[in-house]
Amino acid sequence: MPLRDLDGWVLRLSNREMPIFSSTVNRIQAFSPSDRSSLRDLTQRVLEDVALTVKVLKLANSAYYKPDGMRITTVQWAVMRLGYSSIRELCRTSLLVEDVLRGPRRERVIRDRVKTLHGAFQARSFAASRFARGVEEVFIATSLMRFGHLMFHCFGDEVADRLETCLSTPGYSPAKAEREVLGFRLSALSDALAREWNFCDLLHATIERNHRLDARVAHVLLGHNLAESVECGWDSPQVRRVIQTISSTLKQDVSDTTRLVHANARQAMQASLNLGLSRYLDVIPSPESEDDRKAADQRPSARSSAASPAAPDTGLMSSFSALLRKSRLDVNLFFTTLLDGIIRCVGMDRVLLALLTPDLNRIVGKYGLGWEREEITRFTFSLGDQESHLFQELLKARKVVWVNRRNGKEWLRYLTPEIQAVMSTTTFFLMPIVIKNQAIGIICADRYPSGRELDEASFVSFLHIHQLAHEVLASMH
C-alpha cells in the first residue's frame, strides 16, 4: 500500500479494533446487570476509555442494533440500546493494550489517551457551563479528535516506527514529520475514520475548525488546547492564555475559570488513576494548592453581576413532555433525565438523589452525578430522631430551598455537623420529591468541586425544573 495514500490507510485501519485497558474490563465486569441505577456510572466508565467508546458506538450503529436507521451519537443511548450483557461481551472479546503495544509507541498511545481524557473532562464542563445541548457529544468529540493518531500508532507497524523516529528528532514538528512520512496529517485520518464509522457531526466540524456549523466546536477546541498546553505547567504563559480565552467564552472571571479547570483536571486525574495509569499523570500536572489560593484571593468580595444560567432548555422540557405522554412512566429514566437536566440547565457540579427506605426510618443516597460511589454510600440519615435535621424538615415542609444563602437561620439551624461532613459544603439547593402527596425523597445540588457561587438566576432555574418534575410525578397512576 502506498505510504501517501490516505484512503489506503482508512481501508487498512477501518476493520481494526483499538485495544482497551485491562482495568476497563475489570471495572465493567464489576457492574451488576440488575442495578439499573448504575446506567450513568456504566456510561461514564465506557467514556473514560476512548477505544471502548468507539467499539460501543460502532456496535450500536450496526444494522443489527439499528433497525430504525437512527444514528446513535452518544454512549448513554448506545448503552441503553445494547444492554449490559452486550457491553460485557464486547470487553471480554477485546484486545488489551497490555498485550498489543510495546516500547515507545505504547508510551505515546497511552500518554495521548490520558491527554485526550483530560481534554474531554474540560470540554464537557465548559459546554455544561454554557448550557449547550448534547454535552456528552462534546466529551466524545474531544476524546476522538486524535483517534487517527492513536489508531496509526497502534497498527502502523514499521511506518509508525519511522514516524516515531522523526517525532523524536530535533527540528521535526508533528506536522513536518507526518507530512514527510505519510504525506498527510493524522488529523485527516481521524476525520476520515470518523466519517467511515458515521460518528457525530460535531467531530467533523471540530477537526475542520468549523465554528459556524456547530457552536460547540469552541468548547471542544478549548478543552483540547488546554490539555495540550498544560504539560508546560499551570503557571506557563500558554496555559494562562488558554484560560483567559476560556474565561471570555464562558463569560466569567478568570479566578472562577481557574478554579473550574483545576477541578476538571482533578477529575481527569482520578479517572486516569482508576484506569491504572498513575505513571502517566505528568501529562496532567496536579494543580498546586498555591494556585487555588491565588485564584481565591483574586475573587472580588462582591460582584455587580454574575453569570446567569438560562432557563431550562427545550431539550430538557421535551424529555419531560415525552415522559408525560407515556402510559407507564419509567421511573429510572425519569430520574436519570431529571438529574442530568439539573447539571446541564442549572450549571451545577454535583447532584444527588436520596430516597426514603421502605420503613420510612431513613433517607439514603441512591444515585449521584459528580459524586463518588463511596460518598453516596455515606449519605444516610435517620428520621424521627429527637433532634431534627435539615433533610427531615425539608420532607415535612416540601419546599424548594436554597441553603445558607437565601433562607438564613430558618434552615441553617437544621444543618447539623453530620450533614456538613457528608455534603462538604454549607451552600446548596434542595428539592423534595413528592408522589401522590407523599414525600419520598430529596435532590441535593451544589457547585462544591469548582467553588463557583450559587446565584439567584440558578435558583430560579432550579425552581423551574422542580415544577416540571412535579408535573411528571403527578401523572403517575
Side-chain angles (χ1 to χ4, degrees):
M1 179 179 61
L3 296 182
R4 298 178 180 275
D5 182 1
L6 175 60
D7 292 336
W9 279 105
V10 172
L11 181 64
R12 175 175 176 174
L13 298 177
S14 60
N15 293 320
R16 303 298 296 267
E17 296 290 347
M18 187 177 174
I20 67 177
F21 292 111
S22 59
S23 54
T24 299
V25 177
N26 295 334
R27 298 172 77 197
I28 296 298
Q29 300 293 339
F31 279 89
S32 169
S34 61
D35 183 9
R36 294 186 65 188
S37 67
S38 67
L39 171 63
R40 181 75 183 210
D41 290 337
L42 178 58
T43 298
Q44 184 58 39
R45 297 295 85 80
V46 173
L47 285 168
E48 288 172 3
D49 193 319
V50 62
L52 186 56
T53 295
V54 171
K55 292 174 188 291
V56 167
L57 289 175
K58 286 175 65 178
L59 183 60
N61 283 292
S62 64
Y64 180 81
Y65 285 99
K66 197 181 64 169
D68 54 8
M70 181 181 295
R71 182 172 57 162
I72 305 298
T73 60
T74 68
V75 169
Q76 183 171 355
W77 281 110
V79 168
M80 293 175 65
R81 176 157 290 196
L82 297 176
Y84 166 80
S85 297
S86 294
I87 294 174
R88 187 174 184 175
E89 179 65 16
L90 197 62
C91 287
R92 191 186 68 80
T93 58
S94 294
L95 297 173
L96 301 180
V97 171
E98 295 83 353
D99 296 335
V100 173
L101 294 172
R102 295 286 186 275
R105 280 196 283 140
R106 180 179 188 273
E107 294 291 307
R108 181 173 296 280
V109 166
I110 295 179
R111 294 176 73 85
D112 258 8
R113 286 171 75 162
V114 173
K115 190 182 300 184
T116 57
L117 180 62
H118 178 205
F121 272 98
Q122 296 287 358
R124 180 172 65 182
S125 174
F126 304 156
S129 296
R130 297 305 298 163
F131 322 108
R133 60 185 173 83
V135 172
E136 188 188 310
E137 288 186 356
V138 172
F139 190 99
I140 292 172
T142 315
S143 296
L144 299 187
M145 268 196 70
R146 291 178 59 82
F147 190 67
H149 302 69
L150 298 173
M151 288 291 289
F152 175 79
H153 285 293
C154 280
F155 303 113
D157 299 330
E158 71 283 352
V159 185
D161 289 334
R162 286 178 53 193
L163 179 60
E164 185 65 36
T165 299
C166 281
L167 290 171
S168 60
T169 301
Y172 271 84
S173 66
K176 179 180 178 181
E178 290 167 13
R179 289 197 176 97
E180 182 170 310
V181 175
L182 296 169
F184 55 84
R185 294 299 310 276
L186 286 175
S187 57
L189 182 59
S190 294
D191 191 40
L193 287 172
R195 293 182 186 280
E196 177 73 17
W197 293 330
N198 199 26
F199 286 163
C200 67
D201 295 333
L202 175 59
L203 178 57
H204 309 310
T206 300
I207 293 174
E208 296 171 358
R209 286 3 186 218
N210 191 339
H211 294 261
R212 293 183 178 180
L213 186 62
D214 196 319
R216 296 173 298 171
V217 167
H219 304 308
V220 177
L221 292 177
L222 285 172
H224 172 76
N225 292 342
L226 181 61
E228 287 285 324
S229 60
V230 81
E231 280 189 274
C232 302
W234 288 99
D235 203 37
S236 66
Q238 300 96 307
V239 172
R240 290 183 181 276
R241 284 194 294 270
V242 176
I243 289 179
Q244 183 64 57
T245 304
I246 296 169
S247 176
S248 300
T249 302
L250 302 187
K251 303 185 187 305
Q252 65 182 23
D253 294 341
V254 171
S255 56
D256 287 335
T257 302
T258 301
R259 291 168 65 93
L260 176 63
V261 299
H262 284 185
N264 295 336
R266 293 188 182 99
Q267 289 185 23
M269 291 172 69
Q270 185 59 55
S272 299
L273 287 170
N274 293 339
L275 289 169
L277 304 178
S278 57
R279 60 172 292 203
Y280 300 95
L281 284 186
D282 58 307
V283 174
I284 317 174
S286 177
E288 297 294 335
S289 58
E290 180 63 28
D291 288 343
D292 292 332
R293 285 195 292 272
K294 288 179 181 178
D297 291 341
Q298 293 170 2
R299 293 168 69 100
S301 57
R303 275 183 264 179
S304 58
S305 62
S308 299
D313 65 12
T314 55
L316 176 65
M317 288 186 282
S318 297
S319 297
F320 282 129
S321 297
L323 289 171
L324 282 168
R325 289 194 297 269
K326 287 180 177 289
S327 59
R328 183 178 179 181
L329 185 65
D330 184 329
V331 176
N332 288 288
L333 178 59
F334 164 73
F335 281 122
T336 298
T337 305
L338 176 59
L339 298 191
D340 184 66
I342 293 171
I343 290 284
R344 187 158 47 89
C345 298
V346 189
M348 308 305 281
D349 295 337
R350 301 190 308 174
V351 60
L352 178 131
L353 169 68
L355 299 176
L356 293 175
T357 55
D359 60 11
L360 306 182
N361 288 331
R362 290 180 302 142
I363 185 165
V364 299
K366 289 294 184 182
Y367 179 55
L369 302 180
W371 288 70
E372 295 296 330
R373 188 177 294 273
E374 295 77 12
E375 295 173 331
I376 298 174
T377 302
R378 288 178 55 209
F379 194 103
T380 177
F381 299 94
S382 297
L383 302 175
D385 291 343
Q386 188 173 6
E387 182 181 358
S388 187
H389 57 73
L390 178 62
F391 302 138
Q392 188 168 322
E393 291 301 313
L394 183 80
L395 291 169
K396 293 178 183 177
R398 302 181 187 182
K399 294 174 60 177
V400 180
V401 172
W402 181 353
V403 175
N404 197 42
R405 182 71 180 270
R406 182 179 175 86
N407 301 285
K409 295 181 180 179
E410 177 186 357
W411 293 99
L412 282 179
R413 61 190 175 124
Y414 296 117
L415 189 59
T416 64
E418 292 77 16
I419 291 178
Q420 291 186 44
V422 172
M423 293 296 296
S424 302
T425 178
T426 59
T427 304
F428 47 90
F429 296 157
L430 293 174
M431 75 166 65
I433 302 297
V434 180
I435 297 179
K436 295 182 180 179
N437 205 34
Q438 175 68 45
I440 67 162
I442 61 174
I443 288 178
C444 314
D446 64 60
R447 293 174 179 162
Y448 168 70
S450 68
R452 294 175 297 131
E453 293 183 2
L454 301 178
D455 53 69
E456 184 70 30
S458 299
F459 189 60
V460 170
S461 292
F462 191 72
L463 283 166
H464 190 92
I465 290 181
H466 173 259
Q467 181 181 357
L468 288 172
H470 181 74
E471 291 174 2
V472 176
L473 292 172
S475 70
M476 292 189 67
H477 301 298

